[in-house]
Amino acid sequence: MQPARTGVSMRILFVCLGNICRSPMAEGVVRAELERRGLLDRVELDSAGTGDWHVGEPPDPRARRAAAARGVDISGLRGRQVSPADFSRFDLILAMDRDNHADLLAMAGDAQAHKVRMFLQFARQGDGGEVPDPYFGGPEGFEHVLDLLQDAAAGLADHIERHT
Ligand code: 4NP
């Protein structure tokens, strides 16, 4: 008999600019997908922003509403900024867009740069591109972001299933 798998074996950080729209939605959508597949106990998830404007704030009300409409509650999350310690703590640091990716690489040491990836590289249908910033647009932008995040969440859950 195989021993039961216990404990967290992968830590994943989702990163955008403000940590009030894309990365908290990513964290919530991935948590929901892993819970649905019984994989949640294998991972630790968190999100952060490269900027510090929204530290301590809950996600943007439009992000909370759009996520809630898909059964994902992100109201308990609070904004924080990426810190140097994140690069040793987390195994995967997933950027929403190329600016986030470049900012993260500028912070990462040589030994940790391999942890920094684009989240949409895990997408099943997408092209591995960017999650566009919905902050200055309308509600349809949040729906598009959630479509992209849910697709990549399924691919990331496949990766977690294989590698933990
Ligand atoms: P996020 O969106 O990076 O997806 O959280 C933004 C939130 C706030 C700002 C920019 C983008 N801002 O400029 O305050």
Side-chain angles (χ1 to χ4, degrees):
M1 203 170 76
Q2 295 285 328
R5 264 191 267 244
T6 54
V8 168
S9 57
M10 195 184 288
R11 293 179 169 81
I12 304 171
L13 181 67
F14 301 92
V15 177
C16 62
L17 178 60
N19 193 214
I20 54 168
C21 297
R22 290 166 292 174
S23 61
M25 288 196 284
E27 180 185 343
V29 161
V30 169
R31 181 168 284 117
E33 177 69 10
L34 293 176
E35 187 161 32
R36 195 178 67 76
R37 290 164 64 160
L39 300 172
L40 197 52
D41 57 347
R42 299 193 200 177
V43 298
E44 177 185 310
L45 305 176
D46 196 5
S47 64
T50 57
D52 66 357
W53 310 284
H54 300 287
V55 170
E57 292 180 18
D60 186 284
R62 298 165 295 172
R64 294 205 304 264
R65 262 197 304 277
R70 299 191 191 201
V72 177
D73 179 7
I74 58 170
S75 62
L77 301 180
R78 293 295 178 268
R80 74 169 180 88
Q81 190 174 24
V82 178
S83 81
D86 289 326
F87 292 89
S88 45
R89 174 165 189 85
F90 291 93
D91 304 298
L92 267 181
I93 301 174
L94 300 179
M96 297 299 127
D97 67 29
R98 278 185 261 284
D99 286 344
N100 311 145
H101 189 268
D103 289 343
L104 288 165
L105 279 184
M107 290 179 75
D110 287 347
Q112 298 142 348
H114 69 281
K115 298 178 174 183
V116 179
R117 311 261 297 269
M118 294 288 282
F119 181 37
L120 291 193
Q121 282 179 355
F122 289 94
R124 289 167 157 181
Q125 295 164 26
D127 58 1
E130 302 186 288
V131 182
D133 187 346
Y135 187 68
F136 294 105
E140 69 286 350
F142 287 80
E143 296 304 324
H144 177 55
V145 164
L146 280 168
D147 290 342
L148 294 172
L149 296 178
Q150 286 185 313
D151 181 44
L156 180 59
D158 293 343
H159 174 83
I160 291 164
E161 194 154 36
R162 282 194 304 270
H163 295 286
T164 60

